[in-house]
Amino acid sequence: MAIEKAKISSGELFALLVSAPVGGTIFTIAGLADRARADAWLAAFAALILAYAVSAVFLAVRPRRPDQSMPDWIVEIGGPYLGAVLNVVYMLFFIIMTALLLRQVVEIVSLAVLPRTPRAVITALLAICSALAARLGIEVTARAAQIYTLFGSVGIAIVLVSIAPYADLRNMQPVLASGLRPVLAGSLPTLACLALSVASVWLAPYVRSKKDLVTSVMWSTAVSGLVIFLLVVTSQGIFGYRGIQRMLVPALTMARAVRIGRVFERIDVIIVGMWLLIAFVSIALYTYLASTQVAWLGGSRHYRPVVLPLTGLICVLSLVLARSDAALSDFITVGAFAPYVLLHALVIPLLLWVLLKVRRPAGPHEQEPENGTGDAP
Amino acid sequence: MRRAALWLASAALVLSGGCWDRTPITDTVIVLSMGVDRGDQPNTFAVTFELINPIVGEGTGAQGAVLPTKSVIVTGQGRSLTEALQNVQRTLDRSLFLSQLQTLVFGEELAREGMIETLDHLQRSTQLRRTMTVFIAEGTARQVMGAQPHTVPLLGIGLESLGFHASRAGAITMIFGDFLERLVEPGSEAIAPVIMTTDDTSFIRIAGIAAFRDDRVVGIFDLEESLGLSLALGEARPLTAIVAESDWQGERVVASFVLESLVSQTDVRVVDGQVEATIRVNVQSVLAEQNGGGNFTTSKEWSVLERMQEQAVRRAVEKVVKRAQEWQTDVFGIGTLIERRFPKVWKDLEPRWPEVFASMKFDVAVASRVTETGLIKEPLNTRGQPG
């Protein structure tokens, strides 16, 4: 059974799923240039293509009954022991990802807007807002996501449109000078970001139909991938790949470089503000997922009492996760971030898919509601 | 009760935290321009700031806004830029506000010795931006920043405008971000406009373009070479004047053209292991002035004007190519083009690129068009004689 009675539309799910990759991609652009060098833009494109393969894998193990939660389904596939272990693993994943998303936002806010404000204060303020949103339930978060994604899109569009004329597309050359391997290696952090839409299978019970789920995942992957691709092409066109390699946060530097005529400039705080709304949704979503997973493991059908204590834990984890912004950037671009995310978005779903094929759990499969509401018969 | 306590605690957290990053305008001085020179002691830097106090206004701006009309020049020295900046701060009762910094001026002596040690802080600081205009000062930055231009009340605003209009005056506009990209690209060298003060320090003028090799200035292109460089790079903007001089039937003719549009492209090729390049410049302009010669604005003689312009452009471009090769500084970014088109060849050439650049073959191809003659058809000095 799903942990709360809620329904979200495909548009709302799309907005929720877009938030995590776009909100969390802020450090990964430098990672693309670190490994793929001048092929950074190709690596971003490769990440988009590979993200579809990863999506196909985790969508293949989505819950089969409309009202079934993912933790229940994992137990059904893996059995009580392996199922419990995997649910603990996913609980840790959601907690760590929430902390990581939170830390990224805090670093950007600290770097671009509030350099003297203690990080703990920014962390607490953002985490409390996200926790309050998560406590209100997935429907509220999803509706906020729809509005905030619109604001965020405006911010990203302003940056891209105003800075694109300065981009020199010749900076995309040489193409594949070092072969395909650096391209694939460089694409991994971005692929990991796009694979954060693995959250969709936890939201499956709230979606009206299987088709809505698949459509939302496909569209969110396409849009997030395209946004990342355009950001990479533009920043590489302006700074060159060597310029990106030296930057901690190329997307922020790009926002700071916006200058239209000699009048319209220094708009980075507005851009960061708009992006912050998307990032807030991603933190609220992952706080919600972490809380529901903890509640499920505790055998409770009430996740709300868990949210605030868990947020406290996430705040601390977020602060101690990395010693500095450079260490955080290293962790995301060349460190364990990509393998860690792909373990949960690709490897474990693959294992579940194999078990699904081998064990074939009992019960109705691929049951679609006749009335389209998704209510259990 | 518990819910109310929670809300109260949350509200207290939000409201009582205050703002650590507040910057009251009464506690700040705005830095408009910054100069960097070699310090008096070995291994030190001198930093010169032009400061304005935002609350001591005298002039009147738009809609009655009170604007400051005077700036203050202060200097500090230190082993690093940060230390020099702190030494300036020690002399002030307000904190330096660098976010409005518009212009960076590097002294020639420092620029000739190497600037790399001064650039780290400028990139790292979150207050500074890549859109700042960069200049090299003939002499020292301090001297140039001591000038009192008659046309603008504040030096920083004047310098920023000068930088912006440089690409209309036969030079180039160089922002800090682009300057850095050129500096780190192994296949291209940095350039920056050079400024100097007139003898009575009442004006600052553009004196050419400084050419770098790595982080050191190796030479300064004169005004004709600077025009050639801005045309070759496609950086010259409309209103740039191209002055052509020629001999016509034993008479000296000077024709001036005003640039209307410019398309430039550099092609590189590798022939028998040797790198060659062609700089193509396509200029379209308006006849602004003609002194001497006949009436060239007839359809029969129109090509004379276009040929004169072509020769002037070719001469300027060939001159800057020759000078750049002499200084072994690839200001055209030929190395970067080779890296893009022939990455394997570039790997071999990269370690000895300055020498290869100095001896490579260049072709200059100019396409010249003159489209307008202004309000008159014939030059004034033909005295009624047909051209």
Side-chain angles (χ1 to χ4, degrees):
Chain A
M1 287 286 285
I3 208 152
E4 67 167 331
K5 285 262 180 215
K7 283 293 163 212
I8 54 175
S9 67
S10 59
E12 289 166 342
L13 180 62
F14 164 82
L16 280 173
L17 296 180
V18 160
S19 69
V22 174
T25 195
I26 211 82
F27 281 96
T28 60
I29 296 175
L32 288 162
D34 267 341
R35 284 178 172 162
R37 295 163 63 93
D39 290 324
W41 64 280
L42 261 183
F45 189 71
L48 172 59
I49 303 299
L50 293 172
Y52 274 106
V54 174
S55 305
V57 173
F58 64 67
L59 282 174
V61 292
R62 70 191 178 279
R64 293 300 192 259
R65 288 190 295 277
D67 62 336
Q68 188 176 35
S69 71
M70 190 62 189
D72 285 334
W73 179 234
I74 288 175
V75 169
E76 201 169 314
I77 299 173
Y81 298 110
L82 180 63
V85 168
L86 290 180
N87 275 315
V88 169
V89 167
Y90 274 109
M91 176 195 75
L92 293 173
F93 172 67
F94 290 135
I95 291 173
I96 290 170
M97 280 304 114
T98 314
L100 191 64
L101 287 166
L102 186 59
R103 177 63 184 267
Q104 286 189 66
V105 178
V106 169
E107 287 299 339
I108 299 303
V109 171
S110 182
L111 201 62
V113 191
L114 301 169
R116 284 184 299 222
T117 302
R119 282 179 166 75
V121 173
I122 307 172
T123 305
L125 289 174
L126 197 59
I128 287 171
C129 294
S130 303
L132 292 175
R135 267 176 65 88
L136 290 170
I138 193 66
E139 282 181 344
V140 172
T141 310
R143 279 168 201 161
Q146 266 193 318
I147 298 165
Y148 290 169
T149 305
L150 192 68
F151 282 119
S153 310
V154 171
I156 291 166
I158 289 173
V159 172
L160 290 175
V161 170
S162 55
I163 210 136
Y166 301 104
D168 182 357
L169 292 181
R170 290 175 302 177
N171 283 348
M172 310 298 141
Q173 294 175 314
V175 179
L176 293 175
S178 306
L180 206 57
R181 203 170 160 178
V183 175
L184 294 175
S187 70
L188 287 177
T190 303
L191 173 63
C193 259
L194 293 171
L196 288 176
S197 56
V198 68
S200 61
V201 288
W202 266 259
L203 302 176
Y206 311 125
V207 183
R208 294 180 202 282
S209 68
K210 171 198 151 193
K211 192 182 161 198
D212 279 1
L213 178 72
V214 175
T215 309
S216 300
V217 171
M218 292 301 145
W219 274 107
S220 66
T221 304
V223 170
S224 313
L226 193 67
V227 166
I228 295 171
F229 177 73
L230 289 175
L231 284 172
V232 172
V233 167
T234 318
S235 51
Q236 193 178 341
I238 293 167
F239 309 128
Y241 78 87
R242 289 190 181 90
I244 298 177
Q245 281 176 330
R246 283 185 299 115
M247 289 171 190
L248 187 68
V249 195
L252 178 63
T253 310
M254 204 159 72
R256 288 166 61 85
V258 170
R259 192 185 201 196
I260 301 169
R262 294 162 71 199
V263 181
F264 191 59
E265 59 178 331
R266 295 165 199 275
I267 58 165
D268 41 303
V269 173
I270 300 169
I271 304 291
V272 168
M274 289 175 169
W275 169 81
L276 195 63
L277 295 174
I278 293 187
F280 156 76
V281 170
S282 67
I283 296 165
L285 171 65
Y286 269 79
T287 304
Y288 174 82
L289 293 174
S291 305
T292 52
Q293 194 73 6
V294 169
W296 187 91
L297 282 165
S300 169
R301 292 198 48 77
H302 303 284
Y303 77 96
R304 287 188 174 87
V306 179
V307 175
L308 285 177
L310 191 63
T311 299
L313 178 75
I314 287 167
C315 283
V316 176
L317 182 60
S318 167
L319 289 167
V320 300
L321 199 66
R323 283 181 64 187
S324 64
D325 48 4
L328 180 72
S329 173
D330 271 0
F331 171 69
I332 293 169
T333 53
V334 291
F337 171 71
Y340 181 69
V341 173
L342 291 176
L343 172 73
H344 297 82
L346 181 66
V347 178
I348 297 177
L350 212 54
L351 172 72
L352 290 172
W353 183 78
V354 171
L355 288 174
L356 191 64
K357 290 290 164 196
V358 174
R359 299 177 68 170
R360 291 192 177 275
H365 296 283
E366 296 292 344
Q367 190 177 341
E368 282 293 318
E370 286 175 10
N371 58 5
T373 61
D375 292 334
Chain B
M1 184 63 194
R2 281 180 61 198
R3 181 176 287 250
L6 185 67
W7 278 110
L8 196 64
S10 303
L13 191 65
V14 174
L15 300 173
S16 65
C19 179
W20 280 265
D21 290 275
R22 71 191 183 282
T23 313
I25 200 162
T26 49
D27 292 348
T28 58
V29 277
I30 294 173
V31 180
L32 267 190
S33 49
M34 177 179 177
V36 188
D37 288 304
R38 183 61 68 200
D40 296 335
Q41 303 297 320
N43 301 318
T44 60
F45 304 105
V47 175
T48 306
F49 287 123
E50 182 200 13
L51 309 173
I52 52 169
N53 183 347
I55 60 165
V56 183
E58 290 169 16
T60 305
Q63 295 175 345
V66 178
L67 297 173
T69 56
K70 284 182 183 168
S71 56
V72 181
I73 303 291
V74 290
T75 302
Q77 301 205 7
R79 291 163 295 171
S80 66
L81 235 55
T82 312
E83 191 176 59
L85 200 140
Q86 185 157 298
N87 284 333
V88 171
Q89 184 65 71
R90 283 187 180 125
T91 64
L92 301 168
D93 60 342
R94 294 155 188 267
S95 60
L96 291 163
F97 185 72
L98 291 158
S99 290
Q100 293 293 331
L101 181 59
Q102 317 235 9
T103 315
L104 274 174
V105 184
F106 293 93
E108 188 183 341
E109 186 195 349
L110 171 78
R112 283 190 184 273
E113 287 176 14
M115 291 167 42
I116 201 81
E117 290 173 1
T118 64
L119 299 175
D120 189 274
H121 175 71
L122 299 175
Q123 293 176 75
R124 211 176 282 274
S125 169
T126 52
Q127 282 198 53
L128 303 175
R129 284 156 197 275
R130 72 186 304 280
T131 49
M132 296 180 291
T133 310
V134 177
F135 288 109
I136 304 297
E138 202 175 273
T140 64
R142 168 89 179 146
Q143 280 169 355
V144 168
M145 290 177 68
Q148 293 171 324
H150 287 171
T151 49
V152 283
L154 297 170
L155 178 83
I157 291 173
L159 283 177
E160 199 270 338
S161 289
L162 192 67
F164 183 76
H165 293 294
S167 52
R168 288 178 179 153
I172 47 151
T173 303
M174 182 56 65
I175 60 167
F176 183 58
D178 291 347
F179 178 77
L180 288 175
E181 305 317 330
R182 278 180 158 267
L183 210 67
V184 298
E185 279 287 327
S188 67
E189 299 289 359
I191 45 177
V194 178
I195 49 174
M196 61 181 290
T197 54
T198 52
D199 290 340
D200 61 353
T201 74
S202 59
F203 286 99
I204 295 174
R205 71 179 181 89
I206 293 171
I209 295 175
F212 284 71
R213 201 163 136 194
D214 299 327
D215 66 324
R216 293 162 198 261
V217 168
V218 289
I220 295 172
F221 296 123
D222 65 22
L223 290 175
E224 189 180 13
E225 291 161 351
S226 298
L227 174 67
L229 183 60
S230 67
L231 289 168
L233 295 177
E235 294 283 338
R237 292 172 61 199
L239 298 182
T240 299
I242 300 167
V243 181
E245 202 174 330
S246 177
D247 188 75
W248 184 77
Q249 296 179 357
E251 189 184 352
R252 179 174 171 263
V253 185
V254 178
S256 304
F257 305 91
V258 172
L259 189 67
E260 209 174 39
S261 72
L262 169 71
V263 179
S264 300
Q265 190 185 342
T266 303
D267 299 322
V268 291
R269 56 196 175 274
V270 180
V271 181
D272 300 329
Q274 302 295 311
V275 179
E276 295 178 2
T278 302
I279 298 174
R280 296 178 203 282
V281 185
N282 192 336
V283 283
Q284 182 176 309
S285 63
V286 174
L287 179 64
E289 189 179 359
Q290 183 194 330
N291 293 312
N295 181 11
F296 302 136
T297 57
T298 61
S299 53
K300 191 178 166 191
E301 302 289 349
W302 193 261
S303 61
V304 174
L305 290 173
E306 293 184 329
R307 215 164 37 245
M308 283 181 76
Q309 178 175 248
E310 182 200 324
Q311 283 166 358
V313 171
R314 182 185 297 280
R315 185 184 138 89
V317 175
E318 285 179 346
K319 199 175 164 192
V320 73
V321 167
K322 191 179 168 197
R323 190 54 58 99
Q325 287 190 303
E326 190 183 313
W327 292 336
Q328 298 191 349
T329 171
D330 181 6
V331 290
F332 306 100
I334 303 290
T336 303
L337 292 174
I338 296 170
E339 186 189 12
R340 287 171 184 159
R341 285 201 58 197
F342 310 104
K344 286 178 183 161
V345 174
W346 175 246
K347 273 184 188 168
D348 175 47
L349 293 178
E350 190 180 344
R352 52 193 176 92
W353 177 239
E355 296 80 34
V356 174
F357 172 79
S359 59
M360 68 180 279
K361 186 185 168 206
F362 271 94
D363 293 322
V364 178
V366 181
S368 165
R369 276 192 74 201
V370 179
T371 56
E372 292 175 32
T373 63
L375 293 176
I376 57 171
K377 288 197 294 184
E378 295 180 22
L380 199 59
N381 57 354
T382 55
R383 295 180 190 280
Q385 299 299 312

